[in-house]
Amino acid sequence: MATPQESREEAIKRLSASASSLEARTANAVSHEAAGQAAAGQAWRIIADLFGGVFVGLALGAIVDRFFETGPWGLIGGVLLGFAVSVFMAWSTAQRLMAQARATGVEPKSVPFDEDEED
């Protein structure tokens, strides 16, 4: 028995539904463990940005103090400048990571505050 001719719109809907189900079956599922490791890696990167900037500023301040004999002022200025640069680098890294997460369609979920109260 011949099937009735389906309209073009119905055929497109059927094909789209079939493609969506195929995509859902073949998509790589990200485990919670892998997502946690990725988040930990991103956190370590931000921490490295923070410490790296301070240590580079500390080293540059020590070099300035050694060559120009400015006492502790080069060291102090280097640490302050390094701290400012490290905060900027950490902020820009966090912004870039959030933009990447938004581009993939992942929105951060709010975690409820859980305060452990001692009686």
Side-chain angles (χ1 to χ4, degrees):
M1 178 176 218
T3 59
Q5 194 71 8
E6 63 183 349
S7 70
R8 183 179 182 110
E9 290 80 21
E10 291 172 348
I12 291 173
K13 287 180 185 177
R14 183 177 52 81
L15 184 60
S16 177
S18 177
S20 295
S21 67
L22 177 65
E23 184 179 344
R25 286 189 308 236
T26 60
N28 293 335
V30 177
S31 69
H32 293 292
E33 183 177 334
Q37 289 175 353
Q42 294 167 354
W44 280 112
R45 182 180 179 120
I46 292 173
I47 290 171
D49 284 345
L50 287 171
F51 282 117
V54 172
F55 288 139
V56 168
L58 183 70
L60 290 176
I63 290 170
V64 167
D65 278 345
R66 177 141 173 110
F67 286 116
F68 297 113
E69 298 178 7
T70 56
W73 296 110
L75 196 63
I76 293 169
V79 168
L80 291 176
L81 183 64
F83 178 72
V85 169
S86 67
V87 168
F88 175 75
M89 287 174 32
W91 177 78
S92 63
T93 300
Q95 292 297 319
R96 189 183 75 247
L97 292 173
M98 287 300 295
Q100 288 175 353
R102 285 188 194 107
T104 60
V106 177
E107 286 295 324
K109 294 181 181 178
S110 176
V111 178
F113 182 69
D114 185 25
E115 184 178 321
D116 291 335
E117 295 182 18
E118 295 182 17
D119 293 329

